[in-house]
Amino acid sequence: MPSLKDYRDRISSVKSTKKITSAMKMVAASKLKKAQERAEAAQPYAESMAAMLTRVAGNIVISPTLPELLTGTGSDQTHLVVVVTSDRGLCGGFNGNLVRDARKHIAALQAEGKAVKLVTVGRKARDLLKRDRADLIVKSFTGIGASKAGVAFEEAQEVTQYILNRFEEGEFDVCTLMANDFVNILTQKPTARQIIPFRLPEADEAENSEKDVSAPYDFEPEEEAMLAALLPRNLSVQVYRALLDSAAGEQAARMTAMDNATRNAGDRINDLTLQYNRARQAYITKELIEIISGAEAV
């Protein structure tokens, strides 16, 4: 049976942990507001950019002269998967859920006989995927959004430029971006988006946007020239949005995780305090019995 000192040490230890988790919760909450505002501000722009490209692409006939970012290479044998996580942990299943989905996606592609390459953004993606997919990782980005200003568009462009360079050199045919979408403070949804080649809406989505796609717009310059300029920028915008969503989702997940940890620490302190009081009462009772027994013996 633990001694009273053991109980006191354990209570003190849990109280110290509770102070740390409580502080981390407050820090995450203070960072969340700004990250959330930036993520929510970027979402409409990214969606509008994709919708505009859909309208432009819907008014042209697919031909070999169009950019490969739209038409593709004519093959889908080699896939590049870009996985976006955080650099730090202690945020619940935020990183683990996404990496688990990435592993499933990679396994499904390999089961179809496809070659897979990985680009990781964030230390957690790199460290977790290194365990069983180290041979697939061709590039790792870390430290993105580490400054006080948060994620910068230049950092998204750095990732985008690497992807574009590898595509121009013919190192892959299809690129999929996997990241957590920031839905709200309690929900971060792991999502996979094909960003190369640019994916036109599916049949059900096309019905909803049919008016927009087939609208009689006149474009200046020609659609082909617009696509050549807009497709790389759209790629940067989609990557930037994923980075902002990931940054906001990380803080929201950490705030929730630390809140739960603080509550659990409080419950554990109550349990240990109850056990301590019971043990203390038992020791007092034992000492009283010994004193009374000794007095009667005299």
Side-chain angles (χ1 to χ4, degrees):
M1 181 177 177
S3 65
L4 294 179
K5 183 177 183 302
D6 292 334
Y7 279 119
R8 285 195 297 267
D9 290 344
R10 292 171 66 182
I11 291 173
S12 177
S13 176
V14 177
K15 283 182 177 179
S16 298
T17 301
K18 182 180 178 181
K19 289 179 181 179
I20 294 172
T21 57
S22 179
M24 292 185 67
K25 173 191 170 184
M26 290 187 290
V27 171
S30 66
K31 292 181 178 180
L32 173 61
K33 183 177 181 181
K34 183 177 180 180
Q36 181 178 356
E37 289 174 351
R38 297 187 69 191
E40 291 176 346
Q43 287 175 358
Y45 183 81
E47 292 168 359
S48 297
M49 172 71 82
M52 179 177 63
L53 282 172
T54 299
R55 289 196 298 270
V56 176
N59 283 274
I60 62 175
V61 177
I62 301 299
S63 67
T65 60
L66 292 173
E68 286 190 339
L69 288 175
L70 176 65
T71 62
T73 61
S75 172
D76 65 344
Q77 182 57 34
T78 304
H79 287 247
L80 180 70
V81 181
V82 182
V83 184
V84 180
T85 64
S86 66
D87 280 341
R88 300 169 57 202
L90 295 177
C91 46
F94 178 77
N95 295 312
N97 293 338
L98 179 66
V99 171
R100 183 175 63 248
D101 285 0
R103 286 195 175 108
K104 291 179 181 178
H105 183 68
I106 293 167
L109 291 173
Q110 291 178 330
E112 296 175 2
K114 311 295 185 183
V116 180
K117 298 180 180 181
L118 282 174
V119 171
T120 62
V121 182
R123 288 190 181 91
K124 288 300 176 180
R126 180 195 65 187
D127 295 345
L128 292 173
L129 290 171
K130 259 188 177 180
R131 297 176 183 176
D132 55 349
R133 306 288 181 178
D135 56 320
L136 303 181
I137 299 176
V138 296
K139 179 69 175 177
S140 294
F141 293 91
T142 59
I144 291 180
S147 65
K148 291 184 179 180
V151 179
F153 187 68
E154 291 75 14
E155 293 174 314
Q157 285 182 312
E158 181 183 356
V159 177
T160 303
Q161 195 57 51
Y162 176 84
I163 296 172
L164 288 173
N165 291 342
R166 301 288 76 77
F167 183 67
E168 290 171 359
E169 293 177 10
E171 295 185 12
F172 66 89
D173 303 308
V174 179
C175 179
T176 302
L177 178 64
M178 301 193 70
N180 282 291
D181 275 0
F182 180 79
V183 180
N184 53 52
I185 294 177
L186 298 177
T187 307
Q188 298 83 43
K189 181 180 178 183
T191 306
R193 291 188 182 88
Q194 178 180 307
I195 56 177
I196 297 179
F198 177 74
R199 196 169 187 175
L200 293 173
E202 301 293 342
D204 55 342
E205 297 175 357
E207 289 180 3
N208 295 331
S209 58
E210 184 177 355
K211 293 182 180 179
D212 292 335
V213 173
S214 59
Y217 292 103
D218 290 328
F219 294 98
E220 180 65 32
E222 295 298 324
E223 290 91 333
E224 291 81 355
M226 291 186 65
L227 287 171
L230 290 177
L231 284 169
R233 176 164 287 274
N234 175 67
L235 197 63
S236 296
V237 170
Q238 300 305 325
V239 172
Y240 184 49
R241 173 192 178 180
L243 294 176
L244 290 175
D245 272 19
S246 182
E250 175 194 354
Q251 300 302 333
R254 180 171 293 114
M255 185 182 74
T256 301
M258 291 302 100
D259 180 58
N260 291 334
T262 302
R263 293 174 184 274
N264 291 338
D267 293 340
R268 184 59 179 158
I269 290 170
N270 292 336
D271 292 341
L272 288 172
T273 301
L274 181 61
Q275 294 175 31
Y276 170 79
N277 290 334
R278 287 175 176 173
R280 181 171 174 271
Q281 186 63 47
Y283 277 113
I284 293 173
T285 303
K286 180 181 177 182
E287 290 177 357
L288 287 174
I289 292 174
E290 291 175 350
I291 292 171
I292 294 172
S293 298
E296 290 179 349
V298 172

